[in-house]
Amino acid sequence: MTTPTIAGTRLAQNYSPLPVTLVSGEGSWVTDDEGRRYLDLLAGYSALNFGHRHPALVAAAHAQLDRLTLTSRAFDHALLEPFARALAGLVGPLLVGDPLVLPMNTGAEAVETAIKAARKWGYEKRGVPADRATIVVAHGNFHGRTTTIVSFSDDPDARDGFGPFTPGFRAVPFGDAAALRAAIDETTVAVLLEPIQGEHGVVVPPDDYLPAVRAACDEAGVLLVADEIQSGLGRTGHTLACEAWGVRPDLVTLGKALGGGILPVSAVVGRSDVLGVLTPGTHGSTFGGNPLACAVALAVIDLLTPGDLQAAARVRGEQLGAGLAGLVENGVLSGVRRAGLWAGLDVRHGSGRAACEALLAHGVLAKDTHGRTLRLAPPLTITSDELAEALARTTAALTRV
């Protein structure tokens, strides 16, 4: 019996990519199978914060490939504790309490880990009755695509057809601190939020929102879990986006850029009394914290430790914002939201998909979301000249849509 195919391919059709096949990349540039070059303004949804094939990251991966790639967590290896110490050193001062690090692979795994830890902490430390724990989340969220995570999504594409859903989540409007406070009760163990909602179109909350959320969590004695998988590690001009509002989460989930665009690496970092409830046998991952992942992640942390890339994201972000403001003024865009080197663009005419196809024709890679919105997330290493070229091409493409 032959395997059925769809449109001539044996690949499951859970994506609808733009019509381009990429074969190589370096820095902010990629090349397709016909030799055409493009400026990559998506950067793997922030997984490529350091551009394609950053020399330090490639060197770290090559060196480790010649030594040891996987032990499983049945055995220790020489890079696991250095990785944990380095990551705790980078983000620990931005969090509440004395941090531990729990390594995983994908961003969704990190979020699932944080959910499990928060629930177990709630039962053991907060005294929530068994199987009654609730977590407050925000409408418009995107935390991944596992069954539990889509249970509290309100995106029909992500959710419809995948029930029955996991209970224990209460969704409130993003940016509404009063609604969030009202949703917390004696069963609540955590509030789980993206500081900035990336998938929803780089939605930035009011300046008083996250401080009010932190205060509500403190008053109720519940955890604040910040999902910084897209917003973290330099994207907004800060190591963590929460820094912009002076807010320290109890737990933070990291991923995407932590693997340097080379392999999946994620982690939960946060309070030792929370992650400490996960004991041997209660949680794990065969590939989590593997030697190759740790080698690359250590090189990523080395790149971020001086703060130069975060500063560059702020400077280049201002340049990006100035260029996009002109497209709002001339009526091409109906709105722009930006945080550092990260922007959501609302096109006035046509669809977001059509706009991305127009950008592709002008040698720019971007991705649409939710109808007429585009997301831009150039590598933090993009130069001023490259960004100026990208803006010129973007202007030319969008004014013709």
Side-chain angles (χ1 to χ4, degrees), residues 59-382:
H62 275 304
Q64 192 60 38
L65 281 168
D66 288 332
R67 298 184 183 123
L68 184 69
T69 59
L70 180 64
T71 63
S72 83
R73 290 299 302 275
F75 313 103
D76 203 356
H77 65 81
L79 295 182
L80 189 56
E81 182 60 31
F83 160 69
R85 289 186 181 277
L87 187 56
L90 179 70
V91 303
L94 310 175
L95 307 177
V96 172
D98 186 36
L100 291 178
V101 172
L102 199 160
M104 297 296 288
N105 307 288
T106 64
E109 288 176 89
V111 173
E112 290 271 4
T113 299
I115 290 170
K116 289 177 68 175
R119 285 175 169 174
K120 200 165 194 293
W121 171 85
Y123 297 134
E124 294 186 3
K125 307 293 186 180
R126 184 163 157 75
V128 173
D131 299 330
R132 293 278 308 282
T134 58
I135 294 175
V136 179
V137 297
H139 291 307
N141 71 76
F142 182 83
H143 298 284
R145 298 189 185 276
T146 61
T147 305
T148 290
I149 291 172
V150 300
S151 296
F152 55 90
S153 171
D154 52 16
D155 180 351
D157 288 338
R159 179 182 171 92
D160 289 357
F162 300 116
F165 297 114
T166 306
F169 300 95
R170 294 180 186 146
V172 297
F174 183 65
D176 187 338
L180 183 143
R181 183 186 295 271
I184 297 173
D185 66 14
E186 68 279 0
T187 67
T188 305
V189 296
V191 171
L192 168 62
L193 295 172
E194 301 157 271
I196 297 168
Q197 291 189 330
E199 181 76 12
H200 205 58
V202 191
V203 179
V204 183
D207 282 341
D208 60 353
Y209 176 62
L210 283 176
V213 171
R214 178 71 269 181
C217 290
D218 290 341
E219 290 168 16
V222 304
L223 305 174
L224 175 56
V225 183
D227 180 345
E228 296 249 17
I229 291 162
Q230 283 197 58
S231 62
L233 303 182
R235 172 53 57 193
T236 67
H238 304 277
T239 301
L240 298 181
C242 285
E243 288 181 77
W245 295 281
V247 169
R248 295 174 182 249
D250 299 289
L251 299 178
V252 63
T253 59
L254 300 170
K256 294 195 184 295
L258 191 58
I262 294 178
L263 75 169
V265 184
S266 69
V268 182
V269 187
R271 284 168 42 182
S272 58
D273 64 312
V274 178
L275 291 180
V277 303
L278 297 176
T279 54
T282 59
H283 192 59
S285 166
T286 299
F287 278 83
N290 67 75
L292 183 59
C294 287
V296 172
L298 278 164
V300 165
I301 295 165
D302 283 345
L303 290 176
L304 290 167
T305 296
D308 298 353
L309 286 170
Q310 295 90 321
R314 293 194 293 273
V315 173
R316 294 284 80 80
E318 292 293 333
Q319 182 183 354
L320 176 64
L324 295 176
L327 291 174
V328 175
E329 291 168 4
N330 67 18
V332 172
L333 299 177
S334 59
V336 170
R337 296 163 301 283
R338 185 184 63 82
L341 198 50
W342 197 21
L345 289 58
D346 299 327
V347 297
R348 188 175 296 278
H349 305 291
S351 68
R353 173 74 180 206
C356 286
E357 291 172 349
L359 286 166
L360 185 69
H362 283 76
V364 173
L365 301 185
K367 189 66 178 72
D368 59 295
T369 186
H370 295 283
R372 290 185 171 177
T373 299
L374 311 182
R375 287 164 292 171
L376 301 184
L380 309 185
T381 53
I382 194 168

Side-chain angles (χ1 to χ4, degrees), residues 16-60:
S16 178
L18 290 164
V20 60
T21 300
L22 305 178
V23 296
S24 65
E26 184 172 3
S28 301
W29 294 87
V30 291
T31 303
D32 71 9
D33 56 353
E34 296 181 353
R36 292 174 297 199
R37 299 180 76 222
Y38 305 82
L39 278 160
D40 184 356
L41 298 194
L42 185 62
Y45 304 102
S46 293
L48 287 156
N49 273 6
F50 316 103
H52 293 268
R53 297 192 305 115
H54 189 287
L57 305 183
V58 171

